[in-house]
Amino acid sequence: MIDVYSWATPNGHKIHIMLEELDLPYRAHAVDIGAGDQFKPDFLSISPNNKIPAIVDADGPDGKPISLFESGAILIYLASKSGKFLGHTDREKFNTLQWLMFQMGGVGPMLGQTHHFRIYAPEKIEYAVNRYTNEAKRIYGVIDKQLSQHPYLAGNEYTIADIATFPWIRSWKNQGIEMSDYPHLKAWFDTISERPAVKRGVEVLASARKPLTDDKARDILFGSQQYQKR
């Protein structure tokens, strides 16, 4: 049994989808990031960066328990554990990993900032909105070009690179994107959206998440609490 400490966000959904794709037994534990659950000592003991998701696998390497944080590391671990969605040859594995790192270093952070300044920022800063919206469009263009040559990000097979990227694309409207401008990405998105495991994965903990409307939750997520020494 794998215990998943998570929330219904793109980074959380990466792991929910992966576990559903692998059909591994798991328990999802809600870490309400709007209520400050990510700062509790028990969670910090397995995720010192106070970010979701994190997992505890009772059947880790050599049969001993292991805890992991950072969604990319968790995806690599689960792919290695199962022998699925990473590639078969060394060449395929490294190709998958470069597109996973593209998601971790580019897609997630940049689309996250786009979303923040367009939707959540208390004041609309034109420079920030334009900067990150333009970067989002550039990233979508990179993905669209890759998918014009291959059905999936790392080539001909569905991998953890696709699993990591897909949840971030679900908010394309809030990122100022016109999906029709990226036809190859749209075809890929529509295909992945129809996978049964993906449909199940994006529903994990979704009913527990509420719209961000109160100042306390905003401060927990974006304000001074983030920067306290723990």
Side-chain angles (χ1 to χ4, degrees), residues 1 8-9 37 90 130:
M1 181 65 69
T9 70
D37 290 353
D90 285 345
N130 290 340

Side-chain angles (χ1 to χ4, degrees), residues 161-176:
D162 303 290
I163 292 171
T165 303
F166 171 81
W168 282 99
I169 305 299
R170 294 178 72 220
S171 296
W172 55 272
K173 291 181 181 179
N174 286 340
Q175 297 156 8

